Amino acid sequence: MERNGLKISKNRLLLNLIFIYIISLGIWDSLTNIFIPNNIRIVLCGFSLFVLLFMTKWTKRMSPLPCDILFILSILVYCINNYYIEINNSFGYLRYFLLFALLFIGRTIYNFPNRIVKLYTYMSLIHVFATIWLKFDAYSYKNIIVKMFDAKRQSLLLAHYAHGWISGLANHYSSNGMYLATTILLLFSYILFSDSNRRKKQFKLLFCLAFLALLFTGKRAHMIFSVMAMLLVYYIYSANKKHGRFFKILTIVIGVIGFFYIGYSLFPNLFSFIGRFYETAEDGDVTQGRLTTWTAVMSVFRTSPLFGIGWMRFSTLAEGFGVTSNAHNVYIQLLCETGIVGFTVFVAMFVSMFAISVYLFSKMRTGRVELPDEEQKNMAFSIGMQLFFLLYCFSGNPLYDAPMFVPYFLSLGITTYYWCLVRTLNNTEDIT
């Protein structure tokens, strides 16, 4: 018995270490890219993938789900004519495979969603505290943090800092915005389902700090999309109290708009993300050059509309157009690089997984599926993360930026876990 218990304990420890590594791919990517050599990162990624496959046991939860065909097709689209293979970027290639594998393997791992959400929350808080600290400690930022990056990156970070856009420990203030937006969604799910007033107050305090840190980045999309994601989560959360919930949400929306307006009027530097709308409007381009990029991407799309030019291959042509290497619109970039076929596969995966997530969470909230609050909290995060991702796809590169695609794929894994959990008990409503 002791040997068996020790074996289980070792397996759990190994799994938790792998989860920490996978989460670090998203939440600490700016730092791991600096301090961990590429060869070591390839070994760690490959080892994690091997261990997960080796430890997987075939159970009822591994029986195929309808969404699995979309996952497999997405993998195939990703593999065909992938630029990472041509340039021998093994780490970039393996990273996606590891996350795709977790969509299948995660559903067989005991308590998978709780482990992921808890670890991600704890690990992401470092960016909250670092952002607030470095906002007021310019000396440490300029002489310690910035010095960790190469000369070109240092100039960019210092320019951002001079504008008041705080990058914290990240290599760009946009990356920091992604870290903090994910943290906000995690903390919001904890607030909704905290089991005691004391814990709720603790998470509310952390939430306020994370919200303040996100304001320090000056990011517009991250702030607006995270608020929209929380509003939807709260709307579904209130499904068990349908009477008046629409007007309650409407009141909250008006309150949020009023809060931002008053905040900008009193503290324009703190609410600088609002000021940036005015500045870009005065410059004549609210998209900050994105329209030019989108035009270039669509012109390339017309050269190979059915199957596209290949994953990440627009980056090889961007310089010729004088635009950024990514389109800052995932949907347009998917059209260009994977064609109509690949675009259809990925968008079908995005939309179908979001729809089933909303459906499952609604069933939990209305009592048709009985789950403890701890489990419902995980689904709340999954929905919030997915909606944030889908909205950000219109103006950013979340499918290609690790701080976004890592938590997104993990949120899909959370949904498939509960989908399988419900299905394995057939028509039984109590799945605790």
Side-chain angles (χ1 to χ4, degrees):
M1 290 294 291
E2 289 183 3
R3 289 184 178 179
N4 187 47
L6 184 60
K7 182 179 179 181
I8 293 174
S9 179
K10 287 182 178 179
N11 287 343
R12 286 181 180 176
L13 176 61
L14 183 58
L15 274 175
N16 284 335
L17 289 174
I18 290 175
F19 290 156
I20 289 172
Y21 170 70
I22 292 172
I23 293 170
S24 73
L25 294 176
I27 205 69
W28 294 340
D29 69 309
S30 295
L31 298 178
T32 55
N33 289 346
I34 297 173
F35 296 110
I36 301 179
N38 189 56
N39 290 338
I40 301 299
R41 287 189 291 158
I42 292 173
V43 170
L44 288 172
C45 202
F47 174 76
S48 299
L49 180 59
F50 173 79
V51 171
L52 286 174
L53 292 172
F54 180 76
M55 294 181 68
T56 301
K57 294 181 180 180
W58 186 272
T59 66
K60 288 183 179 180
R61 292 188 189 177
M62 278 295 286
S63 299
L65 291 171
C67 62
D68 288 346
I69 185 65
L70 290 174
F71 294 157
I72 294 170
L73 289 174
S74 297
I75 295 171
L76 292 176
V77 169
Y78 172 74
C79 292
I80 296 173
N81 198 18
N82 192 311
Y83 184 57
Y84 284 150
I85 299 175
E86 184 176 315
I87 63 175
N88 198 28
N89 185 354
S90 301
F91 174 68
Y93 197 67
L94 280 172
R95 192 169 49 177
Y96 278 96
F97 266 98
L98 179 58
L99 291 166
F100 269 116
L102 208 55
L103 295 179
F104 298 93
I105 297 169
R107 65 188 72 163
T108 70
I109 298 174
Y110 173 74
N111 216 19
F112 169 73
N114 280 324
R115 296 190 199 187
I116 290 296
V117 169
K118 186 175 293 186
L119 286 171
Y120 217 115
T121 304
Y122 291 150
M123 293 170 66
S124 65
L125 286 175
I126 186 175
H127 292 294
V128 175
F129 300 126
T131 301
I132 296 173
W133 161 48
L134 295 171
K135 165 71 174 179
F136 300 104
D137 189 354
Y139 179 84
S140 294
Y141 183 70
K142 294 177 180 179
N143 293 280
I144 299 176
I145 305 301
V146 172
K147 298 291 185 183
M148 297 189 300
F149 299 93
D150 59 66
K152 184 178 180 180
R153 182 63 60 177
Q154 288 180 29
S155 300
L156 184 65
L157 290 172
L158 290 174
H160 290 164
Y161 196 83
H163 278 91
W165 308 333
I166 310 303
S167 301
L169 301 177
N171 60 3
H172 197 280
Y173 74 114
S174 287
S175 298
N176 197 29
M178 297 179 210
Y179 299 148
L180 295 168
T182 304
T183 309
I184 283 174
L185 295 174
L186 285 162
L187 293 171
F188 183 69
S189 65
Y190 270 101
I191 291 172
L192 291 179
F193 293 99
S194 293
D195 56 3
S196 69
N197 288 331
R198 181 181 178 185
R199 280 175 59 83
K200 191 181 288 284
K201 288 179 181 178
Q202 292 172 343
F203 286 119
K204 282 182 178 179
L205 174 61
L206 291 172
F207 177 87
C208 290
L209 292 175
F211 191 85
L212 178 65
L214 184 56
L215 284 174
F216 286 161
T217 67
K219 291 302 297 181
R220 297 173 295 176
H222 304 65
M223 177 60 71
I224 294 171
F225 295 156
S226 60
V227 170
M228 292 174 68
M230 286 186 287
L231 285 172
L232 177 69
V233 170
Y234 186 74
Y235 183 78
I236 303 172
Y237 169 81
S238 305
N240 58 339
K241 301 175 183 178
K242 291 186 177 181
H243 181 69
R245 68 169 175 162
F246 174 78
F247 293 102
K248 188 174 183 180
I249 291 295
L250 184 60
T251 302
I252 294 173
V253 170
I254 295 172
V256 169
I257 294 173
F259 170 75
F260 284 145
Y261 178 78
I262 296 172
Y264 180 66
S265 300
L266 299 176
F267 309 101
N269 291 332
L270 179 59
F271 289 80
S272 61
F273 79 95
I274 297 176
R276 292 183 66 196
F277 281 108
Y278 292 110
E279 292 170 6
T280 52
E282 290 174 358
D283 293 338
D285 184 9
V286 178
T287 68
Q288 293 186 300
R290 285 175 172 81
L291 285 176
T292 303
T293 303
W294 297 342
T295 301
V297 174
M298 291 307 295
S299 68
V300 175
F301 160 70
R302 295 186 190 97
T303 65
S304 183
L306 194 58
F307 296 105
I309 62 174
W311 191 274
M312 294 303 294
R313 288 189 179 275
F314 180 75
S315 61
T316 65
L317 306 173
E319 188 174 350
F321 290 97
V323 297
T324 56
S325 58
N326 282 317
H328 287 279
N329 185 307
V330 167
Y331 304 111
I332 292 177
Q333 187 160 342
L334 278 173
L335 268 176
C336 173
E337 295 181 340
T338 67
I340 295 172
V341 173
F343 170 85
T344 302
V345 169
F346 268 91
V347 171
M349 182 183 74
F350 295 161
V351 174
S352 61
M353 287 306 298
F354 180 68
I356 192 62
S357 299
V358 171
Y359 173 73
L360 285 172
F361 190 45
S362 297
K363 288 187 71 174
M364 294 175 189
R365 295 306 300 156
T366 54
R368 287 177 289 169
V369 170
E370 294 185 14
L371 273 177
D373 285 352
E374 183 76 7
E375 309 292 347
Q376 295 187 43
K377 169 207 69 191
N378 301 327
M379 276 305 303
F381 166 69
S382 177
I383 291 174
M385 190 70 244
Q386 288 182 62
L387 181 59
F388 182 92
F389 176 91
L390 295 176
L391 291 172
Y392 192 33
C393 279
F394 285 103
S395 64
N397 312 301
L399 187 59
Y400 314 102
D401 293 336
M404 274 287 96
F405 70 70
V406 170
Y408 173 71
F409 275 96
L410 291 176
S411 70
L412 297 187
I414 290 171
T415 293
T416 58
Y417 178 93
Y418 289 118
W419 192 353
C420 288
L421 189 60
V422 172
R423 194 186 62 172
T424 52
L425 294 175
N426 299 318
N427 295 321
T428 303
E429 290 295 323
D430 185 356
I431 63 174
T432 56

